Structure formats: structure tokens, C-alpha cells
Amino acid sequence: MVYAVRKGRRQGLFTSWQEVEPLVKGFPGAEFRKFRSREEAEAWLRGQEATPQGRPTRGLVVDASCPGNPGPVEWRVYRLEDGTLLLQEGPFPGGTNNAGEFLGLVEALKWALETGYPGPVYTDSQVALAWFKRKEARAQVANPTLGARLREAEAWLQSQKSLPPVLLWEKAWGENPADYGKK
């Protein structure tokens, strides 16, 4: 695996997340990705990456990160049209990745409704998508604040009559643009 940083405290190719994290964490508008090959990473740095067929160019995309289970969980939401980071929360101790994915998805939907944004909203989490469809998160979290947030998110979803479409981010489209790169 090769990491590429296009916008950060330093640009270039790197071999580990440990090298990349201090270059991009807290850097406004950071752009970085993980690649399978050096050639793909170099093409991306030059702005010549191939966009997978059918990759969306409009919508909101959500991702979460939670090293450990339970662990510190965080989530964020990007707008595909311009790569703007719209929302970011955490890290919160005692969470799970699935809880973060679900909460991020609900926060993206709230933002879309508040601003009149039509969607769609994408997630790469099949679990979060299933919980969304059921309007029930089946998460067990050690943090009481996160537990309360999950119950509030469920109640909010159950109260909504109409929401923007929620879709699964397809692996064929490449890495989810909101991805934390901590795999």
C-alpha cells in the first residue's frame, strides 16, 4: 500500500499511516488517499486519476473511524461537488465504528433537510444503511453520551416523513472521499 498526500503540511508518497497522519490531521482542506500501487498514487498526485465508471459527482458522503472496539469514535461528512468538509464530530471515547457510521449518516441527513440539499447521502457501511432502513441502531456503546445520541438519532429518523435518498458507496468507485485512511 502507498499513501499519497496532495494537500497537507508536506506533499508526496508515504508507506504508512503513521507518516501521513501528522501531515494531514488538523490541516484545513487536506487531500490524501491510500492506493494499491505507486503508479496509481503518482497519477492521483498529478491529477490524472481515472474516475471509476459511474462514480457520483454530487451528494454527501459519510465515514467514521474507531480504532478499537470500543474505542474513540469520530465521523465526518463531505460534499462531493466541491470536496467541502461539512461536519466533523469526535473523537468520543467508548464508541464503535458502526455507531459512528450511523450517527454520521443521521447528521448528514439533518444537514440536508436544514439546508434544502436534495441528496443523495452515501455511506460505505452496510450496517449503518441497514440501521437507517430500520430506523433503529443496534449498537452497544460504553459511552452514555453516545448511547443517548443514538436514541435521539433513532427518534429523529422515526419522526421524519421524507428524507433524501441514502445509498451505498460502491467499492468500484474507489475510496469513500470521507474516508479517514486509518485502515
Side-chain angles (χ1 to χ4, degrees), residues 82-115:
D82 56 10
T84 300
L85 174 64
L86 299 174
L87 305 166
Q88 183 166 333
E89 292 194 59
F92 300 98
T96 65
N97 196 70
N98 288 333
E101 295 276 0
F102 178 75
L103 288 169
L105 181 58
V106 171
E107 291 302 318
L109 289 165
K110 286 180 179 180
W111 184 89
L113 285 181
E114 288 169 7
T115 63

Side-chain angles (χ1 to χ4, degrees), residues 8-58:
R9 291 179 183 86
R10 197 170 103 220
Q11 293 74 43
L13 301 179
F14 305 90
T15 58
S16 72
W17 172 246
Q18 290 73 24
E19 292 175 280
V20 172
E21 185 176 33
L23 302 176
V24 298
K25 192 169 187 177
F27 187 89
E31 290 182 20
F32 57 96
R33 286 187 47 195
K34 182 169 73 171
F35 295 89
R36 292 191 181 122
S37 75
R38 183 177 183 88
E39 293 75 24
E40 287 177 295
E42 288 173 340
W44 183 77
L45 282 175
R46 292 189 306 268
Q48 298 172 340
E49 72 273 20
T51 302
Q53 183 102 16
R55 181 180 173 138
T57 57
R58 179 171 174 65

Side-chain angles (χ1 to χ4, degrees), residues 146-163:
L146 282 175
R149 294 270 313 258
L150 287 164
R151 303 296 79 82
E152 289 168 9
E154 291 170 338
W156 182 83
L157 278 175
Q158 292 164 10
S159 73
Q160 299 306 303
K161 295 193 181 354
S162 177
L163 289 168

